[in-house]
């Protein structure tokens, strides 16, 4: 059956649900009614959507780290530390990579090894293996709202377990947790699986429990032009809304040019709202998240603080609803609690110093127009390809290279498009592949890149893109030729 | 110069594709015959590809932190598959967290890896090591 | 004799010089001709003015730390570390506080104690006590240009010794090294003493050795409105130019609001050039320096990195010629070499990431107009009070409170003016004292402050200023009421 | 309440005036009779002012790093001047560099200071200590 952007019927949903809950023994502990009751017992201060809505109303930017370790107690200690010593407004539970691939047996080995060696041998928290009761232990121990962050193509069981466990926010989506996170999972599959996750969110919503959903914005985190990630975010917002999701945070990974970044956050919010309304979803609250630079970091911690701060500045000046924080250990490995808290404190300092400042609207005008025009080209073509259905259109768009994410591992991504920075560090598109841009937009991109090529006295090429990939880790934004 | 063959890829459930794409580009430009398996490569896939291509070296990348779990037993599997003595390199962010590199290197050498590289090792360093270990020279014309 | 902005005659200069060189035994080692020869032997790479001119031409921002310890060898080690591990483009030698007060005997005790205890018991390098040969040891050991940074009201002997020692840049001025750095030294005295230092610079200049001079921009470093520090910087530039100085770097201490900071650096350069030309000094090269936040810092190092980065961003986006760097130890004490290098690397990361970005001119317009209008009010009144002579006018302006520096220790400063931040964090003036502003400018300042007062639902007052003094150290820019 | 008198100032060649101005404001609001000597105060000046004003306590600030050199012998000079047992406080950035506070405290206590405060001590802390040591209460109405 071909994929459609259509709400799953109860019959469809509960039919699938039987097999989902059987994927791993812990699935049997999930009981919806009892889970609703648990959620209703939570104080407002632990509810993600409430805190986001409040932040949006007050135009402040909340800070949230990434964090997750193998064992429950250690994970609670870690989160408590980040809450108390880092001042995190929101906390995550990052899931390990085996769980993300539904390799629960390997996750089990990781847990055992972690117990044995006394250090986390997993790069995240294996929530499925731990099960509902353990997840609730985390929720009960922490004072601020909690979100699951992962990168799981088939996250259905995970969603069931952590929702039942009391998590009030959940990252991911059928595109954003496939193309950057998988090699050979068909897009129809992940979109369908994420319809399940979204429908489950809708079911909670209908029971009076508003769980926040966050399409994963930064994709590969590596020179992704705003219009590309905007298109994906908006599609996932539409898919989620169709399943009954009412509280959505759309995301964007900082590119590094301030004007482009601020314009990106502003247009991300306005375009998402525009498309939601256009397609009849009128009661969804949209908030935004900026991810501090998601590409390669400098190894030196002092330099890393510089990168972290610049991401914080972009978040504050664009008044994103929240910012996801990197740490001074980023280039080296999963951070210690201490390093993670340092990233948070550095970020909070910058965010709160800048909260009363903004970027002049006039200076954003051109960049906003470009992002809007590009994003609309992409989305309109997707709808066209799907004969009006965005789920179908998305699958066909990826096949056609109409949606194309740079440096992605998935074989369902064309990988024809090549981005490079322009002379001011904004990310532009050198090789269009099959992006359905107008001539004006193509000319604009190439004109900007030409300026740089002239300045650097070299041709724009794959080598230029490589230089840009390394640039920030080597202390620059634009990867100028050496020597 | 006779072209040496290398098999490369990112091991385990790891999807970090950026470095892999760039390494492929750099190795090819440096005159190697590259079989790039991309991301999420199992030990078996490396070994099968190495047998098929008669490779001189297997270059394992691991970025996401599970390298230690994923790499265990690789040398033994190579031996069993008849790839006795094949050069094994590993590099990237091969353990969870920031750990003293000499300890990490020791553990991976004990697992049978010939060369172990820390986070952010530039392609030039890897290529220099390959030239040395394989006793070959850079190609006359490199893409610069 | 009343002070005049008039070049010292050779007779006057060499007459004074006799007593200056006798202030401490090391004075006798100064020999001008031999010093010229030493300077001429220096490679271009060690000459401050050359490096600055080049940076100005290329619109890049150089980084420079503060640093100085008691003993020569330790000082060389420190600077070498900052050069090699910090990547400093320019290096300083910060002079200790006893030397700044000409208390050479106490400095001598500090040196002895430092030898005994094995740690620097002085907060800087006592160059006068060490003498010319020791200073040259430093110059010979370091590869980048060197500057003396101090805060010395009567710096004549120090100037003689370090110029003879081969330093190619020198901070300070008759106002900026008096009012924030002394309690009871008359302004006539310090202006006259700095005319000596400037004339000495002029004499080197005439011998073909261009030594860079830098009026000290940030003054008390605490909520100094741009127009106040601009007025002082421009006066000191005029005083220096009259004595034959040809290479001047005017400075400004970051206030924290990006628009105000960028507007400040731009207007500082243009106004200085304007006034120099207006008064007939047509061959002076003017460059700019932004000082990262000079007021109280947060104690936490991660937060301090946030403050450092924001100062770096202001420097980069305003294209200041150089930036003076703080360290993560700022709130605690004189930094270790390691902490100092961290500050440098963090700064360099941000500076070079942002070097290809600027702030939109349009958004700077209003703020530039205000700074220019305020600065001209101040300067024109100074000229008026001095009957056209800026040296005399300056002395009278301070007497009258026409120039008034907040939180200054000097009894020759009126201390009537009180600054507070506005609702966007820009520094404005609440209590004018005797500042000669037009009604429009007063209304502008008060209007801005009223906005904030309304927002905070309290009256603007000294308490508001106190809250602002503490704000950055407590993680904010604007000192909002607690609770 | 009988007003207690304190003599305050920044010692040595130190010109850090900001904290001094704020402390003066805070001490006055807290009900003390303050003789503020400002910056660059010598030991003799504190002592003379304390004798003249019949002070209960001398509050020494040092920010610039030379505190250790500047404060030596202060207790002895007080004793000689007939100020035996007068309360001596010191605070600010009283040594050069970031040093472990307990060691610093110890050295200054050995020099005869009754209370030693680290960098960034808020006025409220100092005032609470003064109330305690002088056995007085906050004034009824504080400027808030
Ligand atoms: C971009 C990125 C991502 C992107 C990847 C997109 C994609 N599909 O490629 C996204 C956002 C999807 C992602 C996901 C995850 N990531 Co990630 N990611 C990064 C990041 C920021 C940059 C990686 C990169 O592209 N660098 C640029 C390229 C050019 O460099 P490189 O990858 O290091 O490769 C070079 C060298 O290492 C070397 N090299 C590589 N292999 C080999 C082999 C040999 C033999 C030699 C000699 C050299 C060598 O040559 C390469 C070319 O120069 C790094 C941190 C960093 N480095 O700053 C984290 C990082 C690698 N990620 C990490 C983690 C944990 C994850 C996640 C689990 C999620 C999470 N917790 O946040 C998931 C894992 C998903 C999975 N199953 O793999 C951790 C790994 C932790 C550890 N080892 O302790 C890191 C270090 C971040 C951190 N500090 O936590 N990530
Ligand atoms: C502003 C400033 C300046 C301004 C001062 C302007 C002026 N005239 O007031 C200028 C730029 C002129 C300056 C000059 C110098 N400074 Co300065 N300065 C600072 C800075 C950034 C803030 C000080 C401040 O105003 N804070 C705000 C006020 C409200 O806080 P406070 O001063 O700490 O005072 C509060 C508390 O400490 C406490 N307190 C104070 N006294 C006492 C006493 C008691 C008993 C108690 C309980 C509490 C207490 O209450 C006060 C009110 O809340 C500090 C670093 C920092 N803190 O971030 C460096 C700092 C104090 N300066 C320092 C130095 C070395 C100097 C210089 C030698 C130059 C140099 N090397 O850069 C000169 C010295 C000149 C001289 N002769 O004194 C060092 C001291 C180093 C050390 N102790 O190891 C510091 C720590 C910076 C550093 N890390 O290097 N400085």
């Amino acid at each position: 059956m071909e994929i459609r952007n259509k709400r799953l019927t109860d019959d469809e949903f509960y039919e699938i649900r039987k097999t989902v809950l059987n994927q791993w023994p812990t699935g049997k502990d999930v009981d919806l009614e009892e889970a609703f009751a648990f959620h209703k017992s939570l104080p407002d201060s632990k509810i993600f959507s409430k805190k986001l809505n409040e932040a949006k109303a007050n135009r402040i930017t909340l800070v949230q780290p990434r964090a997750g370790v193998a064992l429950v107690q250690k994970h609670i200690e870690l989160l408590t530390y980040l809450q108390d010593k880092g001042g995190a407004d929101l906390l995550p539970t990052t899931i390990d990579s085996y769980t993300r691939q539904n390799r629960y047996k390997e996750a089990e080995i990781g847990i055992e090894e972690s117990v044995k060696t006394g250090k986390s041998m997993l790069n995240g928290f294996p929530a499925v293996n731990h099960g509902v009761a353990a997840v609730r232990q985390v929720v009960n121990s922490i004072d601020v709202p909690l979100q699951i962050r992962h990168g799981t193509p088939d996250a259905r069981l995970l969603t069931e377990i952590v929702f039942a466990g009391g998590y009030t926010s959940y990252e991911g989506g059928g595109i954003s947790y496939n193309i950057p996170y998988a090699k050979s999972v068909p897009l129809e599959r992940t979109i369908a699986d994420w319809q399940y996750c979204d429908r489950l969110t809708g079911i909670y919503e209908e029971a009076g429990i508003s769980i926040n959903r966050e399409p994963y914005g930064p994709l590969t985190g590596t020179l992704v032009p705003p219009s590309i990630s905007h298109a994906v975010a908006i599609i996932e917002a539409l898919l989620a809304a169709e399943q009954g999701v009412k509280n959505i945070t759309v995301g964007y990974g900082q590119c590094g040019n301030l004007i482009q970044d601020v314009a990106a956050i502003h247009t991300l919010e306005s375009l998402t709202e525009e498309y939601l309304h256009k397609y009849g979803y009128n009661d969804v609250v949209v908030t935004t998240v900026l991810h501090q630079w998601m590409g390669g970091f400098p190894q030196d911690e002092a330099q890393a603080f510089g990168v972290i701060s610049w991401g914080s500045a972009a978040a504050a000046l664009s008044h994103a609803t929240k910012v996801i924080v990197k740490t001074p250990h980023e280039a080296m490995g999963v951070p210690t609690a201490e390093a993670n808290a340092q990233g948070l404190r550095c970020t909070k300092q910058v965010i709160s110093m800048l909260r009363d400042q903004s970027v002049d609207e006039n200076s954003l005008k051109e960049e906003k127009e470009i992002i809007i025009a590009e994003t609309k080209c992409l989305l309109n073509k997707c709808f066209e390809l799907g004969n009006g259905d965005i789920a179908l259109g998305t699958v066909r768009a990826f096949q056609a290279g109409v949606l194309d994410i740079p440096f992605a591992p998935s074989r369902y991504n064309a990988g024809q498009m090549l981005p490079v920075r322009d002379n001011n560090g904004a990310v532009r598109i050198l090789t269009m592949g099959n992006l359905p841009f107008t001539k004006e937009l193509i000319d604009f991109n190439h004109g900007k890149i030409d300026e740089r090529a002239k300045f650097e006295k070299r041709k724009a090429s794959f080598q230029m893109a490589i230089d840009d990939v390394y640039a920030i880790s080597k202390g620059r934004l634009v990867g100028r030729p050496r020597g | 110069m006779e072209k040496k063959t290398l098999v490369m890829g990112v091991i385990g459930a790891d999807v970090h594709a950026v470095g892999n794409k760039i390494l492929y580009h750099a190795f090819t430009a440096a005159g190697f015959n590259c079989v790039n398996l991309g991301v999420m490569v199992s030990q078996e896939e490396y070994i099968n590809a190495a047998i098929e291509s008669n490779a001189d070296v297997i270059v394992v990348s691991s970025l996401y932190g599970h390298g230690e779990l994923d790499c265990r037993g690789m040398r033994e599997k190579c031996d069993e598959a008849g790839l006795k003595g094949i050069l094994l390199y590993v590099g990237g962010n091969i353990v969870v967290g920031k750990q003293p590199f000499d300890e990490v290197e020791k553990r991976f050498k004990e697992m049978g890896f010939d060369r172990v590289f820390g986070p952010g090792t530039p392609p030039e360093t890897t290529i220099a090591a390959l030239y040395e270990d394989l006793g070959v020279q850079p190609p006359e014309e490199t893409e610069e």
Side-chain angles (χ1 to χ4, degrees), chain A residues 66-68 94-98 100-101 123-124 149-151 176 179-182 216 218-222 293-298 326-327 329-335 406-410 466 469-470 473, chain B residues 9-10 13-23 27 39-40 58-67 89-98 115-123 125-127:
Chain A
R66 292 189 178 79
T94 299
I95 303 299
D96 72 289
S97 290
Y98 292 137
R100 293 170 184 216
Q101 303 294 337
N123 59 12
R149 305 187 69 84
H150 43 141
S176 63
I179 307 298
Y181 282 100
Y216 169 65
L219 305 173
T220 51
T222 307
W293 176 242
M294 287 294 290
F297 251 64
K326 291 266 173 170
T327 83
H329 282 186
E330 176 63 15
M332 302 305 289
V334 171
F407 302 103
S410 171
I466 294 184
V469 167
Y470 285 122
S473 69
Chain B
V10 188
D14 193 337
V15 300
H16 288 91
V18 184
N20 171 266
K21 286 183 203 287
I22 290 181
L23 274 183
F27 289 158
V39 303
M40 298 187 85
I58 299 177
V59 179
V60 176
S61 294
S62 177
L63 282 306
Y64 72 154
H66 293 181
Y89 282 19
V90 65
N93 299 70
I94 58 181
V95 291
V96 177
K98 191 169 177 175
R115 295 243 197 191
V116 184
F117 298 87
T121 305
T125 310
T126 322
I127 291 166

Side-chain angles (χ1 to χ4, degrees), chain A residues 289-363:
Chain A
V289 52
L290 181 136
H291 297 248
Q292 293 176 354
W293 176 242
M294 287 294 290
F297 251 64
Q299 298 204 356
D300 176 67
E301 297 191 17
Q303 290 178 258
F305 276 117
V307 179
I308 289 168
S309 299
W310 187 232
S312 310
L317 294 173
S318 64
H319 298 282
T321 322
K322 68 173 187 176
V323 56
I324 303 284
V325 172
K326 291 266 173 170
T327 83
H329 282 186
E330 176 63 15
M332 302 305 289
V334 171
T336 57
E338 177 49 39
N340 213 332
Q342 287 177 335
L344 284 165
R345 292 198 302 269
C346 175
T347 298
K348 266 212 139 161
Q349 177 77 29
V350 175
I351 293 283
S352 48
M353 281 195 302
L354 306 197
R355 60 175 285 187
D356 304 309
Q357 299 181 47
S358 300
V359 173
D360 180 67
E361 268 302 323
N362 265 320
S363 62

Side-chain angles (χ1 to χ4, degrees), chain A residues 239-412:
Chain A
L239 295 172
E242 173 62 25
Q243 302 299 328
V245 173
K246 303 275 185 226
N247 194 280
I248 296 180
T249 306
V250 277
Y252 165 74
Q254 179 195 26
C255 282
N257 173 289
L258 183 65
I259 295 297
Q260 186 174 44
D261 288 335
V262 176
I265 288 291
H266 290 193
T267 52
L268 179 57
E269 183 161 6
S270 61
L271 282 168
T272 306
E273 284 173 347
E274 180 181 330
Y275 274 87
L276 284 170
H277 292 157
K278 185 166 168 191
Y279 289 92
Y281 310 110
N282 289 312
D283 52 356
V284 178
V285 180
V286 176
T287 48
T288 57
V289 52
L290 181 136
H291 297 248
Q292 293 176 354
W293 176 242
M294 287 294 290
F297 251 64
Q299 298 204 356
D300 176 67
E301 297 191 17
Q303 290 178 258
F305 276 117
V307 179
I308 289 168
S309 299
W310 187 232
S312 310
L317 294 173
S318 64
H319 298 282
T321 322
K322 68 173 187 176
V323 56
I324 303 284
V325 172
K326 291 266 173 170
T327 83
H329 282 186
E330 176 63 15
M332 302 305 289
V334 171
T336 57
E338 177 49 39
N340 213 332
Q342 287 177 335
L344 284 165
R345 292 198 302 269
C346 175
T347 298
K348 266 212 139 161
Q349 177 77 29
V350 175
I351 293 283
S352 48
M353 281 195 302
L354 306 197
R355 60 175 285 187
D356 304 309
Q357 299 181 47
S358 300
V359 173
D360 180 67
E361 268 302 323
N362 265 320
S363 62
L364 298 171
K365 203 164 159 283
E366 183 185 39
E367 204 58 50
K368 282 170 81 165
E369 283 168 7
I370 291 294
I371 297 174
I372 290 171
E374 288 187 0
T375 308
K376 289 192 170 178
C377 276
L378 296 170
L379 287 173
N380 296 348
K381 188 75 184 177
C382 289
F383 275 105
E384 190 190 312
L385 288 172
N387 305 326
D389 187 283
I390 193 61
L392 182 60
T394 300
V395 173
R396 292 185 177 159
F398 271 98
Q399 274 162 6
V402 159
L403 287 176
D404 194 350
I405 295 171
F407 302 103
S410 171
R411 66 168 55 113
Y412 297 98

